[in-house]
């Protein structure tokens, strides 16, 4: 019996891509549980299916078979519109290349997910200020992404990811585009979010150093879950 | 909504050079469209200014054949007719052939009683009526050639040979901005008496009769009655409303009018292609951003409306600038054309068409990129980043 409630439950998940007439299996019979407040790292060589698994967990891709529940919601049964609403409420995204809107300031980028809520402008401002304070970027709130370093942009992206208090944070190579110092800062920040705020984080990484910061490592090899280490 | 507008406007200004060049293209297209439509309107101005209670009676064979002067009293006797005036096209040349303006020899008293839209100072009208060689000219004509009351204007006759001297005795203004004030009128009696000496066989002939009727609703019946009066005579007549008569002239050059209309729409089609290309490039470059927005939970329609908003913003900026330029350019064009286009104005309908054309371009140019942004998969779109 797990110590904490299950937040992600994956059973016999299957995903394949079709190239021409050929079917290429990407994920084969994946079964995985993630407890609330866990920080897990998905590792594996290129093409092992770790990003695909992350996309399925985040609800931006659909499996071909199997079962995937997040916070007791079977997301494989949701249609596109329901999935979009579900993502807005339950998933915070941290991308390798930050994926900030270049025409919006740091403040406006962080505010973006809150436009999908019923919060007033004043309430949004309070939330954004708090989130930017958490990533220590209050003094850069009026800066555009092009005026920020890579590390600062990723911190803005993290503030955007946590602004709507999602159930899970999914991070795809969050330090892949950063120098060592900035990467360390980002991993520290993610660690704090996990420890202090109890955020459940699923992170894909190539970097063993980054993976060591997670509470659990999950290895994928050719679409198959090999082992899981604490 | 404010956030969305801010997002759209900043996206619009993202590639300033590309946006500026597209807007310049739109300005040129909207301006050209407006000018070409105004040229077409100017072509039809005579017909549009025609009065419903005026008829024109001409020789049934052709306008180049005249009618006997004796018809004047017979037409006046037709029930429903209030006034009749003779009018002859003179076709003279003022110094050079390129100085074209319409000249008519008319029965002054009945003629100007019918054309109440010509505003003539009373004293000048009296002076004109007293002077056998007097001329009454429109304000636009006077301004184009610098004619003033008291000037003598020589016209080289083409239909009626010789050099004819006229004294400008009156200048009329239009009751409406659309009233034709590019015309030159003189006494038909002067023409007829001169011909009596020079070419006696051409005397007592009317080019057309302008007929004022009591009731515009009876135009068809009165026209038939006039034509019936002269059936089986040596010079049968064809009577029609002044509007039909003017349209008949326009129809002779209808191919040009159609060509102008087609060109005006081709211009819009070309800018549509340019704009569609701009929006397609824009959307292609931002597929990753659209995918990110969709990943964050924004609906595909919200993302698509970002593209539509940007396209409409560019179209409306270009449209506003194009319309603002249309008026001064039309004024300049009208001045350069002199009396070739007696009435040249940018109508409200033309401006409305410019706005609709720009809106149409904005919407159609955004359709394909909107569809692409809506349909692109999030994973596929995110792959384009990096």
């Amino acid at each position: 019996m797990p110590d904490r409630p299950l937040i992600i439950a994956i059973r016999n998940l299957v995903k394949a891509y079709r190239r021409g007439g050929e079917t290429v299996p990407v994920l084969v019979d994946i079964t995985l549980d993630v407890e609330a407040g866990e920080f897990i790292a998905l590792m594996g060589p290129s093409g092992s299916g770790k990003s695909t698994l992350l996309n399925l967990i985040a609800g931006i891709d659909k499996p071909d078979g199997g079962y995937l529940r997040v916070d007791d919601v079977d997301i494989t049964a949701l249609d596109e519109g329901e999935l979009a609403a579900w993502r807005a409420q339950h998933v915070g995204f941290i991308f390798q290349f930050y994926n900030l809107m270049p025409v919006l300031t740091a403040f406006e980028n962080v505010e973006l997910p809150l436009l999908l809520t019923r919060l007033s402008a004043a309430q949004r401002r309070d939330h954004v200020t708090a989130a930017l304070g958490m990533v220590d970027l209050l003094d850069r709130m009026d800066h555009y992404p092009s005026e920020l370093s890579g590390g600062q942009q990723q911190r803005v992206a993290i503030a955007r990811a946590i602004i709507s208090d999602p159930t899970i944070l999914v991070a795809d190579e969050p330090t892949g585009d950063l120098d060592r110092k900035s990467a360390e800062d980002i991993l520290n920040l993610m660690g704090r979010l996990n420890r202090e705020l109890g955020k459940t984080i699923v992170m894909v990484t190539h970097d063993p150093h980054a993976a060591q910061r997670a509470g659990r490592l999950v290895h994928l090899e050719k679409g198959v879950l090999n082992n899981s280490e604490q | 909504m404010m956030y969305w507008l801010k997002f759209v406007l900043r996206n619009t200004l993202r590639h300033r050079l590309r946006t500026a060049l597209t807007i310049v293209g739109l300005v040129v297209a909207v301006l050209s469209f407006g000018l070409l439509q105004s040229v077409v309107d100017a072509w039809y101005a005579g017909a549009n200014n025609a009065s419903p209670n005026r008829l024109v009676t001409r020789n049934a064979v052709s306008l180049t054949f005249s009618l006997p002067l004796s018809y004047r009293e017979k037409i006046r006797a037709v029930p429903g007719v209030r006034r009749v005036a003779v009018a002859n096209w003179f076709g003279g040349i003022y110094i050079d052939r390129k100085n074209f303006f319409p000249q008519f020899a008319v029965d002054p008293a009945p003629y100007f009683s019918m054309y109440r839209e010509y505003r003539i100072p009373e004293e000048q009208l009296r002076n004109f009526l007293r002077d056998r060689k007097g001329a009454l000219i429109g304000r636009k004509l006077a301004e184009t050639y610098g004619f003033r009351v008291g000037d003598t204007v020589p016209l080289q006759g083409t239909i009626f040979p010789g050099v004819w001297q006229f004294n400008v005795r009156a200048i009329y203004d239009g009751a409406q901005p659309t009233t034709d004030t590019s015309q030159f009128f003189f006494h038909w009696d002067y023409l007829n008496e001169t011909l009596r000496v020079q070419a006696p066989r051409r005397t007592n002939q009317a080019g057309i009769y302008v007929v004022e009727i009591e009731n515009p609703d009876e135009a068809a019946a009165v026209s038939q009655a006039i034509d019936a009066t002269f059936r089986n005579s040596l010079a049968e007549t064809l009577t029609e409303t002044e509007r039909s008569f003017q349209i008949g002239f326009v129809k002779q050059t209808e191919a040009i009018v159609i060509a102008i209309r087609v060109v005006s729409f081709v211009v819009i089609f070309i800018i549509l292609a340019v704009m569609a290309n701009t929006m397609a490039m824009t959307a292609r470059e931002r597929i990753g951003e659209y995918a990110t927005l969709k990943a964050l939970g924004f609906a595909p329609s919200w993302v698509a409306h970002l593209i539509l908003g940007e396209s409409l913003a560019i179209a409306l900026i270009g449209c506003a600038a194009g319309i603002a330029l249309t008026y001064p350019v039309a004024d300049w064009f009208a001045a350069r054309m002199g009396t070739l286009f007696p009435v040249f104005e940018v109508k409200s309908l033309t401006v409305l068409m410019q706005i609709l054309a720009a809106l149409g371009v904005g919407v159609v140019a955004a359709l394909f990129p909107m569809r692409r942004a809506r349909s692109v998969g999030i994973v596929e779109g995110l792959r384009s980043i990096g």
Side-chain angles (χ1 to χ4, degrees), chain B residues 37 55 102 106-107 127 136-137 151 186 207 229 236 240 285 312 321 329 331 356 367 372-373:
Chain B
Q37 288 296 329
L55 308 177
V106 298
D107 280 342
N127 291 340
L136 188 156
I137 67 174
D151 285 355
F186 62 95
T229 305
E236 292 195 346
E240 55 195 340
E285 287 167 5
L312 284 175
V329 173
D331 288 345
L356 290 177
L367 286 180
R372 170 96 177 106

PDB file of all heavy atoms in Angstrom, chain B residues 37 55 102 106-107 127 136-137 151 186 207 229 236 240 285 312 321 329 331 356 367 372-373:
ATOM      1  N   GLN B  37     -13.527  53.064 -58.574  1.00  0.00           N
ATOM      2  CA  GLN B  37     -14.987  53.074 -58.388  1.00  0.00           C
ATOM      3  C   GLN B  37     -15.534  54.488 -58.602  1.00  0.00           C
ATOM      4  O   GLN B  37     -16.618  54.669 -59.159  1.00  0.00           O
ATOM      5  CB  GLN B  37     -15.347  52.577 -56.986  1.00  0.00           C
ATOM      6  CG  GLN B  37     -15.150  51.077 -56.791  1.00  0.00           C
ATOM      7  CD  GLN B  37     -16.066  50.232 -57.660  1.00  0.00           C
ATOM      8  OE1 GLN B  37     -17.171  50.620 -57.971  1.00  0.00           O
ATOM      9  NE2 GLN B  37     -15.573  49.087 -58.104  1.00  0.00           N
ATOM     10  N   LEU B  55     -37.717  64.741 -70.177  1.00  0.00           N
ATOM     11  CA  LEU B  55     -37.581  63.767 -71.263  1.00  0.00           C
ATOM     12  C   LEU B  55     -36.671  64.353 -72.330  1.00  0.00           C
ATOM     13  O   LEU B  55     -36.479  65.567 -72.396  1.00  0.00           O
ATOM     14  CB  LEU B  55     -38.944  63.462 -71.893  1.00  0.00           C
ATOM     15  CG  LEU B  55     -40.092  63.044 -70.977  1.00  0.00           C
ATOM     16  CD1 LEU B  55     -41.380  62.852 -71.804  1.00  0.00           C
ATOM     17  CD2 LEU B  55     -39.750  61.756 -70.244  1.00  0.00           C
ATOM     18  N   PRO B 102     -18.308  70.247 -72.717  1.00  0.00           N
ATOM     19  CA  PRO B 102     -19.546  70.196 -73.503  1.00  0.00           C
ATOM     20  C   PRO B 102     -20.119  71.597 -73.767  1.00  0.00           C
ATOM     21  O   PRO B 102     -20.163  72.426 -72.848  1.00  0.00           O
ATOM     22  CB  PRO B 102     -20.495  69.377 -72.637  1.00  0.00           C
ATOM     23  CG  PRO B 102     -19.917  69.367 -71.281  1.00  0.00           C
ATOM     24  CD  PRO B 102     -18.476  69.700 -71.366  1.00  0.00           C
ATOM     25  N   VAL B 106     -28.890  76.465 -76.802  1.00  0.00           N
ATOM     26  CA  VAL B 106     -30.195  76.149 -76.200  1.00  0.00           C
ATOM     27  C   VAL B 106     -31.165  77.322 -76.299  1.00  0.00           C
ATOM     28  O   VAL B 106     -30.763  78.468 -76.515  1.00  0.00           O
ATOM     29  CB  VAL B 106     -30.045  75.756 -74.707  1.00  0.00           C
ATOM     30  CG1 VAL B 106     -29.194  74.517 -74.546  1.00  0.00           C
ATOM     31  CG2 VAL B 106     -29.475  76.918 -73.896  1.00  0.00           C
ATOM     32  N   ASP B 107     -32.456  76.961 -76.128  1.00  0.00           N
ATOM     33  CA  ASP B 107     -33.493  78.002 -75.914  1.00  0.00           C
ATOM     34  C   ASP B 107     -33.332  78.456 -74.476  1.00  0.00           C
ATOM     35  O   ASP B 107     -33.765  77.731 -73.568  1.00  0.00           O
ATOM     36  CB  ASP B 107     -34.899  77.378 -76.010  1.00  0.00           C
ATOM     37  CG  ASP B 107     -35.367  77.183 -77.422  1.00  0.00           C
ATOM     38  OD1 ASP B 107     -34.790  77.809 -78.313  1.00  0.00           O
ATOM     39  OD2 ASP B 107     -36.312  76.378 -77.586  1.00  0.00           O
ATOM     40  N   ASN B 127     -28.360  89.606 -68.164  1.00  0.00           N
ATOM     41  CA  ASN B 127     -27.323  90.029 -69.110  1.00  0.00           C
ATOM     42  C   ASN B 127     -27.119  88.979 -70.196  1.00  0.00           C
ATOM     43  O   ASN B 127     -26.926  89.302 -71.369  1.00  0.00           O
ATOM     44  CB  ASN B 127     -26.002  90.283 -68.382  1.00  0.00           C
ATOM     45  CG  ASN B 127     -26.073  91.506 -67.481  1.00  0.00           C
ATOM     46  OD1 ASN B 127     -26.950  92.374 -67.675  1.00  0.00           O
ATOM     47  ND2 ASN B 127     -25.184  91.592 -66.509  1.00  0.00           N
ATOM     48  N   LEU B 136     -23.388  81.263 -71.055  1.00  0.00           N
ATOM     49  CA  LEU B 136     -23.606  80.984 -69.630  1.00  0.00           C
ATOM     50  C   LEU B 136     -22.805  79.725 -69.331  1.00  0.00           C
ATOM     51  O   LEU B 136     -23.019  78.686 -69.970  1.00  0.00           O
ATOM     52  CB  LEU B 136     -25.100  80.767 -69.382  1.00  0.00           C
ATOM     53  CG  LEU B 136     -25.590  80.643 -67.947  1.00  0.00           C
ATOM     54  CD1 LEU B 136     -27.062  81.028 -67.879  1.00  0.00           C
ATOM     55  CD2 LEU B 136     -25.392  79.270 -67.374  1.00  0.00           C
ATOM     56  N   ILE B 137     -21.871  79.838 -68.395  1.00  0.00           N
ATOM     57  CA  ILE B 137     -20.964  78.695 -68.183  1.00  0.00           C
ATOM     58  C   ILE B 137     -20.990  78.253 -66.724  1.00  0.00           C
ATOM     59  O   ILE B 137     -21.358  79.009 -65.830  1.00  0.00           O
ATOM     60  CB  ILE B 137     -19.511  79.044 -68.602  1.00  0.00           C
ATOM     61  CG1 ILE B 137     -18.927  80.115 -67.667  1.00  0.00           C
ATOM     62  CG2 ILE B 137     -19.466  79.485 -70.066  1.00  0.00           C
ATOM     63  CD1 ILE B 137     -17.460  80.399 -67.933  1.00  0.00           C
ATOM     64  N   ASP B 151     -15.378  88.046 -70.218  1.00  0.00           N
ATOM     65  CA  ASP B 151     -14.364  87.508 -71.136  1.00  0.00           C
ATOM     66  C   ASP B 151     -15.012  87.112 -72.459  1.00  0.00           C
ATOM     67  O   ASP B 151     -16.193  86.765 -72.522  1.00  0.00           O
ATOM     68  CB  ASP B 151     -13.721  86.256 -70.536  1.00  0.00           C
ATOM     69  CG  ASP B 151     -12.740  86.592 -69.416  1.00  0.00           C
ATOM     70  OD1 ASP B 151     -12.509  87.801 -69.187  1.00  0.00           O
ATOM     71  OD2 ASP B 151     -12.239  85.651 -68.778  1.00  0.00           O
ATOM     72  N   PHE B 186     -25.010  78.575 -74.872  1.00  0.00           N
ATOM     73  CA  PHE B 186     -25.205  79.850 -75.571  1.00  0.00           C
ATOM     74  C   PHE B 186     -26.549  79.802 -76.303  1.00  0.00           C
ATOM     75  O   PHE B 186     -27.243  78.781 -76.295  1.00  0.00           O
ATOM     76  CB  PHE B 186     -24.037  80.165 -76.500  1.00  0.00           C
ATOM     77  CG  PHE B 186     -23.834  79.169 -77.621  1.00  0.00           C
ATOM     78  CD1 PHE B 186     -24.389  79.384 -78.889  1.00  0.00           C
ATOM     79  CD2 PHE B 186     -23.085  78.014 -77.431  1.00  0.00           C
ATOM     80  CE1 PHE B 186     -24.199  78.484 -79.915  1.00  0.00           C
ATOM     81  CE2 PHE B 186     -22.895  77.099 -78.468  1.00  0.00           C
ATOM     82  CZ  PHE B 186     -23.450  77.334 -79.714  1.00  0.00           C
ATOM     83  N   GLY B 207     -31.082  69.612 -82.520  1.00  0.00           N
ATOM     84  CA  GLY B 207     -30.382  68.350 -82.231  1.00  0.00           C
ATOM     85  C   GLY B 207     -31.274  67.453 -81.402  1.00  0.00           C
ATOM     86  O   GLY B 207     -31.535  66.298 -81.750  1.00  0.00           O
ATOM     87  N   THR B 229     -47.084  61.285 -82.302  1.00  0.00           N
ATOM     88  CA  THR B 229     -47.374  62.513 -83.058  1.00  0.00           C
ATOM     89  C   THR B 229     -46.579  62.544 -84.369  1.00  0.00           C
ATOM     90  O   THR B 229     -47.050  63.066 -85.387  1.00  0.00           O
ATOM     91  CB  THR B 229     -47.023  63.744 -82.187  1.00  0.00           C
ATOM     92  OG1 THR B 229     -47.732  63.632 -80.954  1.00  0.00           O
ATOM     93  CG2 THR B 229     -47.381  65.040 -82.873  1.00  0.00           C
ATOM     94  N   GLU B 236     -39.037  60.600 -87.749  1.00  0.00           N
ATOM     95  CA  GLU B 236     -39.712  60.013 -86.586  1.00  0.00           C
ATOM     96  C   GLU B 236     -38.865  60.257 -85.344  1.00  0.00           C
ATOM     97  O   GLU B 236     -37.646  60.412 -85.424  1.00  0.00           O
ATOM     98  CB  GLU B 236     -39.929  58.524 -86.814  1.00  0.00           C
ATOM     99  CG  GLU B 236     -40.929  58.244 -87.905  1.00  0.00           C
ATOM    100  CD  GLU B 236     -41.413  56.791 -87.876  1.00  0.00           C
ATOM    101  OE1 GLU B 236     -40.774  55.963 -87.197  1.00  0.00           O
ATOM    102  OE2 GLU B 236     -42.422  56.500 -88.545  1.00  0.00           O
ATOM    103  N   GLU B 240     -37.364  59.487 -74.638  1.00  0.00           N
ATOM    104  CA  GLU B 240     -37.047  58.675 -73.458  1.00  0.00           C
ATOM    105  C   GLU B 240     -36.748  59.616 -72.296  1.00  0.00           C
ATOM    106  O   GLU B 240     -36.596  60.817 -72.485  1.00  0.00           O
ATOM    107  CB  GLU B 240     -35.848  57.768 -73.729  1.00  0.00           C
ATOM    108  CG  GLU B 240     -34.616  58.507 -74.197  1.00  0.00           C
ATOM    109  CD  GLU B 240     -33.562  57.592 -74.812  1.00  0.00           C
ATOM    110  OE1 GLU B 240     -33.588  56.389 -74.548  1.00  0.00           O
ATOM    111  OE2 GLU B 240     -32.717  58.106 -75.556  1.00  0.00           O
ATOM    112  N   GLU B 285       5.281  30.609 -38.576  1.00  0.00           N
ATOM    113  CA  GLU B 285       6.349  30.924 -37.625  1.00  0.00           C
ATOM    114  C   GLU B 285       5.900  30.735 -36.177  1.00  0.00           C
ATOM    115  O   GLU B 285       6.723  30.526 -35.305  1.00  0.00           O
ATOM    116  CB  GLU B 285       6.762  32.396 -37.782  1.00  0.00           C
ATOM    117  CG  GLU B 285       7.554  32.671 -39.037  1.00  0.00           C
ATOM    118  CD  GLU B 285       7.661  34.160 -39.304  1.00  0.00           C
ATOM    119  OE1 GLU B 285       7.200  34.966 -38.479  1.00  0.00           O
ATOM    120  OE2 GLU B 285       8.195  34.515 -40.358  1.00  0.00           O
ATOM    121  N   LEU B 312      -7.247  41.209 -39.249  1.00  0.00           N
ATOM    122  CA  LEU B 312      -8.207  42.328 -39.327  1.00  0.00           C
ATOM    123  C   LEU B 312      -7.558  43.641 -38.916  1.00  0.00           C
ATOM    124  O   LEU B 312      -7.852  44.695 -39.495  1.00  0.00           O
ATOM    125  CB  LEU B 312      -9.424  42.043 -38.446  1.00  0.00           C
ATOM    126  CG  LEU B 312     -10.418  41.030 -39.012  1.00  0.00           C
ATOM    127  CD1 LEU B 312     -11.515  40.733 -37.999  1.00  0.00           C
ATOM    128  CD2 LEU B 312     -11.040  41.554 -40.310  1.00  0.00           C
ATOM    129  N   ALA B 321      -6.102  54.167 -43.629  1.00  0.00           N
ATOM    130  CA  ALA B 321      -5.139  55.043 -44.309  1.00  0.00           C
ATOM    131  C   ALA B 321      -5.519  55.213 -45.783  1.00  0.00           C
ATOM    132  O   ALA B 321      -5.417  56.320 -46.336  1.00  0.00           O
ATOM    133  CB  ALA B 321      -3.732  54.457 -44.185  1.00  0.00           C
ATOM    134  N   VAL B 329      -6.474  62.502 -52.916  1.00  0.00           N
ATOM    135  CA  VAL B 329      -6.018  62.005 -54.225  1.00  0.00           C
ATOM    136  C   VAL B 329      -7.138  62.178 -55.267  1.00  0.00           C
ATOM    137  O   VAL B 329      -6.882  62.538 -56.421  1.00  0.00           O
ATOM    138  CB  VAL B 329      -5.544  60.532 -54.126  1.00  0.00           C
ATOM    139  CG1 VAL B 329      -5.232  59.970 -55.503  1.00  0.00           C
ATOM    140  CG2 VAL B 329      -4.318  60.440 -53.233  1.00  0.00           C
ATOM    141  N   ASP B 331      -9.424  64.500 -55.217  1.00  0.00           N
ATOM    142  CA  ASP B 331      -9.476  65.934 -55.540  1.00  0.00           C
ATOM    143  C   ASP B 331      -8.389  66.295 -56.550  1.00  0.00           C
ATOM    144  O   ASP B 331      -8.617  67.035 -57.503  1.00  0.00           O
ATOM    145  CB  ASP B 331      -9.297  66.780 -54.264  1.00  0.00           C
ATOM    146  CG  ASP B 331     -10.530  66.714 -53.382  1.00  0.00           C
ATOM    147  OD1 ASP B 331     -11.593  66.276 -53.881  1.00  0.00           O
ATOM    148  OD2 ASP B 331     -10.429  67.087 -52.197  1.00  0.00           O
ATOM    149  N   LEU B 356     -15.698  47.243 -46.752  1.00  0.00           N
ATOM    150  CA  LEU B 356     -16.093  45.830 -46.890  1.00  0.00           C
ATOM    151  C   LEU B 356     -15.005  45.024 -47.583  1.00  0.00           C
ATOM    152  O   LEU B 356     -14.734  43.880 -47.204  1.00  0.00           O
ATOM    153  CB  LEU B 356     -17.417  45.732 -47.663  1.00  0.00           C
ATOM    154  CG  LEU B 356     -18.653  46.235 -46.908  1.00  0.00           C
ATOM    155  CD1 LEU B 356     -19.888  46.170 -47.798  1.00  0.00           C
ATOM    156  CD2 LEU B 356     -18.880  45.428 -45.636  1.00  0.00           C
ATOM    157  N   LEU B 367      -8.237  32.846 -43.084  1.00  0.00           N
ATOM    158  CA  LEU B 367      -8.954  31.566 -43.009  1.00  0.00           C
ATOM    159  C   LEU B 367      -8.030  30.352 -42.963  1.00  0.00           C
ATOM    160  O   LEU B 367      -8.139  29.502 -42.084  1.00  0.00           O
ATOM    161  CB  LEU B 367      -9.924  31.437 -44.192  1.00  0.00           C
ATOM    162  CG  LEU B 367     -11.182  32.298 -44.109  1.00  0.00           C
ATOM    163  CD1 LEU B 367     -12.062  32.074 -45.332  1.00  0.00           C
ATOM    164  CD2 LEU B 367     -11.965  31.988 -42.837  1.00  0.00           C
ATOM    165  N   ARG B 372      -5.200  26.027 -39.937  1.00  0.00           N
ATOM    166  CA  ARG B 372      -3.953  25.328 -39.610  1.00  0.00           C
ATOM    167  C   ARG B 372      -3.683  25.400 -38.100  1.00  0.00           C
ATOM    168  O   ARG B 372      -3.339  24.400 -37.480  1.00  0.00           O
ATOM    169  CB  ARG B 372      -2.809  25.981 -40.392  1.00  0.00           C
ATOM    170  CG  ARG B 372      -1.422  25.542 -40.012  1.00  0.00           C
ATOM    171  CD  ARG B 372      -0.921  24.438 -40.917  1.00  0.00           C
ATOM    172  NE  ARG B 372       0.456  24.081 -40.580  1.00  0.00           N
ATOM    173  CZ  ARG B 372       0.772  22.955 -39.935  1.00  0.00           C
ATOM    174  NH1 ARG B 372      -0.148  22.099 -39.609  1.00  0.00           N
ATOM    175  NH2 ARG B 372       2.030  22.681 -39.659  1.00  0.00           N
ATOM    176  N   ALA B 373      -3.864  26.604 -37.529  1.00  0.00           N
ATOM    177  CA  ALA B 373      -3.588  26.783 -36.102  1.00  0.00           C
ATOM    178  C   ALA B 373      -4.560  25.968 -35.251  1.00  0.00           C
ATOM    179  O   ALA B 373      -4.193  25.435 -34.207  1.00  0.00           O
ATOM    180  CB  ALA B 373      -3.668  28.257 -35.726  1.00  0.00           C
TER     181      ALA B 373
END
